[in-house]
């Protein structure tokens, strides 16, 4: 579910919503606040092994939702695709102060790509969005549970991953 708590009293967390409005099979992978439009967004995808956070690479797409922070309702904005040759399913996202979204796909070193988009790229009629700007992120792993954040003051993206060992090398 979706929970909220006042900063001064984090023990007072209250459930404000659940995931009942997501498409069937979808799980929230990451949340990001967009300062440009003051909206909370959710990146969703199909998780095939919830104990490890293994994300399905079968469909190669995710969905982007707005999240109403008062009543917890998720409203689908678009299905997101990347069009890259690397594993296409996105794993985590963040947003900068101008409303540019950044996301990484699920993969090991040499396969991780940073893609970008903004809301002007959404085809509102079809509810589709093709991310652009695929940049290879060397020596990065996005496997297991992954999160990103954007440091608004310094213009730095941080990526954390609960990476599993690479089956080819045995390294995390």
């Amino acid at each position: 579910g979706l929970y909220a708590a006042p900063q001064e009293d984090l023990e007072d967390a209250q459930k404000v919503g659940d995931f009942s409005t997501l498409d069937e099979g979808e799980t929230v992978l990451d949340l990001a606040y967009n300062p440009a439009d003051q909206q909370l967004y959710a990146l969703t995808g199909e998780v095939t092994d919830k104990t490890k956070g293994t994300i399905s690479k079968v469909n190669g797409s995710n969905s982007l939702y707005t999240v109403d922070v008062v009543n917890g309702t998720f409203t689908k904005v678009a299905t997101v695709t990347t069009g890259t040759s690397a594993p296409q399913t996105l794993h985590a996202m963040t947003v900068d102060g101008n409303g540019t979204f950044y996301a990484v796909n699920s993969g090991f070193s040499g396969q991780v790509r940073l893609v970008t988009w903004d809301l002007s790229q959404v085809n509102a009629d079809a509810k589709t969005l093709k991310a652009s700007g695929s940049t290879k992120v060397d020596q990065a792993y996005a496997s297991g549970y992954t999160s990103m954040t954007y440091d608004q003051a310094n213009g730095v993206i941080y990526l954390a991953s609960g990476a599993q060992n690479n089956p080819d090398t045995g390294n995390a």
Side-chain angles (χ1 to χ4, degrees), residues 73-155:
T73 302
F74 288 73
T75 303
K76 190 170 187 174
V77 175
T79 298
V80 183
T81 57
T82 65
T84 68
S85 59
Q88 296 184 21
T89 303
L90 299 174
H91 211 106
M93 75 170 176
T94 190
V95 187
D96 71 16
N98 297 317
T100 300
F101 288 73
Y102 300 86
V104 291
N105 63 317
S106 177
F108 292 104
S109 183
Q111 296 178 323
V112 176
R113 302 287 189 277
L114 179 72
V115 297
T116 62
W117 72 83
D118 64 54
L119 295 175
S120 70
Q121 293 172 259
V122 174
N123 176 331
D125 294 331
K127 288 196 174 187
T128 58
L129 165 67
K130 184 174 180 183
S132 57
S134 176
T135 303
K136 183 177 174 184
V137 184
D138 284 327
Q139 299 184 22
Y141 297 90
S143 180
Y145 291 102
T146 303
S147 184
M148 296 176 70
T149 193
Y150 189 88
D151 179 343
Q152 303 292 337
N154 296 302

Side-chain angles (χ1 to χ4, degrees), residues 14 45-46 54 57 60 149 160-161 167:
Q14 302 293 316
E46 182 182 341
T54 306
K57 297 176 186 168
T149 193
S161 177

Side-chain angles (χ1 to χ4, degrees), residues 4 10 20 24 37 39 51-52 62 66 73 96-97 116 119 122 160:
L10 296 176
S20 62
E24 187 176 340
D37 66 4
Q39 288 281 319
T51 62
K52 295 180 181 179
N62 301 82
T66 56
T73 302
D96 71 16
T116 62
L119 295 175
V122 174

Side-chain angles (χ1 to χ4, degrees), residues 42-63:
L43 178 70
T44 67
E46 182 182 341
V47 175
T48 56
D49 183 345
K50 292 186 182 183
T51 62
K52 295 180 181 179
T54 306
I55 295 175
S56 171
K57 297 176 186 168
V58 175
N59 64 7
S61 68
N62 301 82
S63 293

